[in-house]
Amino acid sequence: MRRLLFITGIFITALVVFQYSTLPHWRTGFEFAIGGGVGSTVVVMSNATIMDNSKSPDSYILHEESDEVAGSDLEEKSGSQNIGVKNSDKAHRNSRDIFSHHKSSNLNENSISMMSIRYEKDLQTGNNDNVNAASTVEESTNLIAISREGVPDEDADLRSISDFQTDSSNISNFRSPTKGEVKRNANKLRVVSATLDDKSTMARALKRLNVKPMLLSDMISMLRDSAGSSNSLRPRQSSVRDRELLYAKLEIQKAPIMADTAGLRGYVFRNISQFKRSYELMEKMLKVYVYREGEKPIFHQPKMRGIYSSEGWFMKLIEGNKKFVVRDPRKAHLFYLPFSSRMLRNTLENNNSQSHRDLEGYLKNYVNLISGKYRFWNRSRGANHFLVACHDWAPKITGQPMGNCIRALCNANVARGFKIGKDTTLPVTYVRSVEDPVRDIGGKPPLERSILAFFAGGMHGYLRPILRHYWENKEADMKILGPMPRDIDGKRAYREYMKSSKYCICARGYEVHTPRIVEAIFYECVPVIISDNYVPPFFEVLNWEAFSLFVKESDLPKLRDILLSIPEEEYLRMQMGVRMVQKHFIWHKKPTKYDLFHMVLHSVWHNRIFQLKAR
């Protein structure tokens, strides 16, 4: 027996040594992620399990918190925490605001031209330290990975122990890991320089585009079918509130036909008559109960800055609202679950709860609490409850414990559990100024926009490296760039590019959503959404084809031809549509008619009405 154990031990030791000797196998797992060039830096963790090459190349990508780049102003700057996840469980991203408090005056045409020439020259010559440093960190931070030993393969949570400081004055430095991080991971960082094969990287990325996406027309059909779907939940017992909603449904369906109305243009809506009537009934009838249960910081503590700020703004405004919110739950048509997916992720991480299952379990316990204390959850099986969540993990962690709820989600991927007709898309927004949210929005008149298409950003995910591969420095009217400098000039140039472009490319990052869509609307630039299976915000009521363009990821090589094929009259019509919907994407400290707060609430109201079926 001892001899057998001895031989077994020798065999295992030899196997481990052999695995570690094949370190280049790490490379194949990372080439796909970076989309970078020669000399890019790969950061891996020592004493970690060697990755299986048979798994999807992007299964082990580590994400930098903010999907977006400098060029937007920074209001609040924080280090980006790098968390990796396996397969579809995308990494957590700590918020980093893109806007600052500094007042920025519009640049004249000469100044933006000078900045553009300077930046493009820096990209070509490599003389600008800001550009080089930003690009290096953007790309290298995408490649940090570690696997936790002893974690079952099906729910392994890849984690890093290091944050990056991305501020422009010290952009290339690492932040020292905290004691807690070191204790949790018990590993050391080491840096491995690797030369990435551009052709191999691009081949892997292009292969990813062969998957057939769901077309916008398919999504529209799903929306129409959802109203009469057999999946619509009938309440276990009828109530006065449900009968009120069914009355509203009939009133909406027989709304008098109209074209344009005060403050609204008909062609940017699917059915302006029904939208207007639905909105009127919402203002007149809707009552919401906000659960008081739940402890801070996960509950009742809105965070109103950063890439996940939309969920914080809604929480802040609904909890302070006196028009819709009632104290007596018996009077409510809808019930709001007041938690922050961002704070849930951050708080439980600090308590060593690191997997999706931990977060799901926490939410399940909350559901058990309110369903045991109140009868409203059980009566509808949660169908009259709703949540508003912007974190990338929100669809995953809410799917089981809150699957029947109406979910307002930023990560609205119809191929990953987003249910059209029940769930609704929450816009990803950066708030530049809490005091003056409409500051500096707008742009040049449509006929004065000399740039055909613009994109700038980090190479997050598989799609953006392909975009740069085909279009960076290829055509004079196609300004397709990487990360822009994070100084004041770089941020100002980013805004002026958007204000001077006909079309703004909104390419997906690690997930399907991106704040560039709302940024484009702010600067009156027609959004070109390149993100297969993404359901755009307020899809229930807005006719996105009237003011934006959807391009399949596989059509990236034909992007310029597609844009040039659009007649000028059609472009002018879309650009006017962008201006018409702008009001629907703005947060206000005191909500105004048809603003973002009311549009989110209306989508929840609308979906509840059309999912409800009479007994």
Side-chain angles (χ1 to χ4, degrees):
M1 179 61 71
R2 292 181 179 177
R3 179 176 298 176
L4 179 60
L5 292 174
F6 178 73
I7 294 173
T8 303
I10 292 177
F11 175 77
I12 293 173
T13 302
L15 181 61
V16 171
V17 171
F18 173 75
Q19 285 181 321
Y20 276 85
S21 68
T22 58
L23 185 61
H25 286 292
W26 283 87
R27 176 180 169 184
T28 59
F30 289 123
E31 282 180 340
F32 189 91
I34 188 169
V38 176
S40 299
T41 301
V42 179
V43 183
V44 298
M45 305 301 294
S46 63
N47 303 325
T49 306
I50 297 295
M51 295 181 180
D52 183 356
N53 292 332
S54 65
K55 293 182 172 61
S56 172
D58 65 336
S59 296
Y60 303 93
I61 298 172
L62 264 159
H63 306 322
E64 194 176 5
E65 163 57 59
S66 174
D67 174 45
E68 305 319 312
V69 299
S72 306
D73 297 329
L74 284 167
E75 246 186 343
E76 181 182 45
K77 195 178 293 182
S78 61
S80 298
Q81 200 170 35
N82 298 282
I83 310 293
V85 293
K86 186 176 178 181
N87 294 333
S88 64
D89 299 341
K90 295 296 182 182
H92 165 59
R93 306 178 178 97
N94 287 338
S95 63
R96 182 176 68 233
D97 284 318
I98 298 300
F99 301 115
S100 76
H101 291 298
H102 298 294
K103 285 279 184 179
S104 57
S105 57
N106 289 336
L107 301 179
N108 58 38
E109 193 166 336
N110 290 333
S111 60
I112 184 176
S113 299
M114 290 299 293
M115 284 189 290
S116 303
I117 293 171
R118 186 192 71 181
Y119 176 61
E120 291 173 3
K121 182 178 180 181
D122 291 337
L123 283 175
Q124 295 170 3
T125 63
N127 289 334
N128 187 304
D129 293 337
N130 259 343
V131 174
N132 290 337
S135 301
T136 301
V137 173
E138 287 278 359
E139 294 180 349
S140 64
T141 52
N142 295 345
L143 301 174
I144 301 175
I146 179 174
S147 64
R148 289 190 294 127
E149 297 179 0
V151 177
D153 185 63
E154 62 269 18
D155 63 350
D157 183 292
L158 307 180
R159 313 186 64 76
S160 80
I161 66 170
S162 177
D163 289 349
F164 284 89
Q165 293 179 336
T166 55
D167 105 53
S168 59
S169 63
N170 197 20
I171 197 165
S172 60
N173 293 333
F174 289 107
R175 174 182 67 75
S176 299
T178 65
K179 292 181 179 180
E181 289 168 335
V182 174
K183 183 178 180 180
R184 284 196 304 270
N185 295 282
N187 281 290
K188 299 178 181 179
L189 277 173
R190 65 186 177 88
V191 178
V192 178
S193 297
T195 301
L196 299 179
D197 183 350
D198 283 339
K199 293 182 179 179
S200 174
T201 302
M202 193 52 56
R204 291 175 184 274
L206 290 172
K207 187 176 180 180
R208 182 72 175 267
L209 303 187
N210 293 331
V211 180
K212 185 178 178 180
M214 181 174 291
L215 302 178
L216 193 64
S217 58
D218 298 328
M219 297 182 190
I220 294 172
S221 297
M222 290 179 65
L223 178 64
R224 290 171 180 166
D225 294 341
S226 66
S229 171
S230 59
N231 294 327
S232 300
L233 290 175
R234 289 184 176 88
R236 289 176 174 173
Q237 61 187 59
S238 183
S239 71
V240 174
R241 305 306 158 215
D242 290 337
R243 290 193 290 271
E244 290 174 349
L245 293 178
L246 290 171
Y247 162 78
K249 182 177 182 179
L250 292 174
E251 287 292 306
I252 294 168
Q253 290 173 334
K254 64 180 185 181
I257 297 175
M258 63 177 65
D260 296 345
T261 184
L264 301 174
R265 293 297 297 269
Y267 76 97
V268 299
F269 290 90
R270 299 200 181 282
N271 188 322
I272 190 173
S273 304
Q274 291 193 357
F275 170 73
K276 189 172 185 299
R277 183 60 177 146
S278 176
Y279 192 95
E280 290 171 350
L281 291 169
M282 178 190 75
E283 289 189 310
K284 181 180 179 181
M285 297 173 56
L286 177 60
K287 299 302 176 186
V288 177
Y289 181 76
V290 179
Y291 284 108
R292 299 175 185 177
E293 287 73 18
E295 297 181 357
K296 295 181 179 181
I298 296 174
F299 295 86
H300 308 289
Q301 185 168 309
K303 296 293 182 181
M304 301 171 70
R305 293 177 178 172
I307 196 170
Y308 306 129
S309 63
S310 288
E311 65 178 26
W313 270 86
F314 185 86
M315 182 188 295
K316 176 72 172 180
L317 295 177
I318 192 68
E319 290 196 322
N321 189 278
K322 295 181 180 179
K323 178 180 178 60
F324 297 109
V325 175
V326 293
R327 293 179 177 271
D328 184 352
R330 293 172 298 180
K331 297 179 179 179
H333 303 95
L334 291 167
F335 298 80
Y336 172 56
L337 303 169
F339 75 93
S340 164
S341 60
R342 168 189 175 184
M343 294 307 299
L344 173 64
R345 178 70 179 87
N346 291 351
T347 303
L348 294 195
E349 178 193 359
N350 293 335
N351 294 333
N352 295 327
S353 297
Q354 302 172 350
S355 72
H356 288 104
R357 291 184 179 180
D358 293 330
L359 276 63
E360 284 182 9
Y362 189 93
L363 294 179
K364 185 176 181 180
N365 290 338
Y366 184 73
V367 169
N368 291 337
L369 171 66
I370 61 174
S371 62
K373 187 173 181 179
Y374 303 91
R375 59 184 172 88
F376 307 102
W377 178 279
N378 295 329
R379 190 179 64 80
S380 68
R381 289 162 285 179
N384 57 355
H385 288 58
F386 73 99
L387 61 93
V388 177
C390 201
H391 195 282
D392 295 358
W393 285 17
K396 175 75 173 178
I397 64 176
T398 60
Q400 194 279 326
M402 300 174 174
N404 286 336
C405 296
I406 301 167
R407 302 180 302 167
L409 303 169
C410 288
N411 190 5
N413 188 339
V414 73
R416 296 284 182 87
F418 184 90
K419 298 180 181 179
I420 293 177
K422 179 183 75 70
D423 299 330
T424 186
T425 303
L426 181 67
V428 186
T429 57
Y430 286 125
V431 179
R432 302 188 55 198
S433 171
V434 174
E435 299 300 326
D436 184 13
V438 298
R439 187 189 73 188
D440 199 35
I441 67 172
K444 291 183 177 181
L447 297 181
E448 296 180 17
R449 293 175 177 252
S450 58
I451 301 171
L452 177 64
F454 167 67
F455 173 87
M459 294 298 99
H460 305 281
Y462 62 85
L463 186 68
R464 295 181 187 180
I466 305 174
L467 177 65
R468 285 184 71 181
H469 172 78
Y470 278 107
W471 296 112
E472 185 174 30
N473 298 324
K474 297 298 193 299
E475 300 287 346
D477 58 358
M478 297 279 286
K479 300 298 182 183
I480 308 300
L481 312 172
M484 294 185 69
R486 297 183 181 276
D487 57 17
I488 294 176
D489 287 343
K491 297 167 189 174
R492 192 178 301 167
Y494 179 87
R495 292 195 302 273
E496 292 302 320
Y497 268 130
M498 277 200 158
K499 293 183 177 188
S500 303
S501 300
K502 292 183 177 180
Y503 300 97
C504 288
I505 308 302
C506 306
R508 63 167 291 162
Y510 294 116
E511 299 291 350
V512 292
H513 56 294
T514 168
R516 283 178 180 78
I517 296 174
V518 176
E519 284 183 332
I521 292 172
F522 278 0
Y523 301 126
E524 299 172 0
C525 179
V526 176
V528 179
I529 301 172
I530 311 178
S531 181
D532 291 352
N533 301 316
Y534 176 64
V535 182
F538 315 132
F539 185 66
E540 307 83 4
V541 295
L542 290 183
N543 177 22
W544 278 83
E545 293 169 296
F547 58 90
S548 66
L549 188 66
F550 287 77
V551 175
K552 291 191 296 184
E553 294 173 4
S554 58
D555 285 339
L556 262 182
K558 301 182 288 185
L559 179 59
R560 187 168 184 269
D561 291 339
I562 291 172
L563 298 181
L564 291 175
S565 69
I566 299 173
E568 184 175 356
E569 296 80 11
E570 180 63 22
Y571 160 71
L572 293 175
R573 181 177 172 84
M574 287 194 292
Q575 206 268 348
M576 179 182 290
V578 170
R579 299 202 306 272
M580 293 300 101
V581 300
Q582 198 176 65
K583 69 175 73 174
H584 304 313
F585 293 89
I586 299 174
W587 294 110
H588 295 282
K589 289 180 69 176
K590 293 182 179 180
T592 63
K593 194 177 184 71
Y594 300 128
D595 72 352
L596 186 45
F597 168 74
H598 284 101
M599 290 297 288
V600 174
L601 192 60
H602 176 268
S603 288
V604 175
W605 151 267
H606 175 278
N607 287 5
R608 174 56 181 158
I609 286 176
F610 283 92
Q611 284 287 302
L612 185 64
K613 300 182 74 173
R615 287 184 62 82

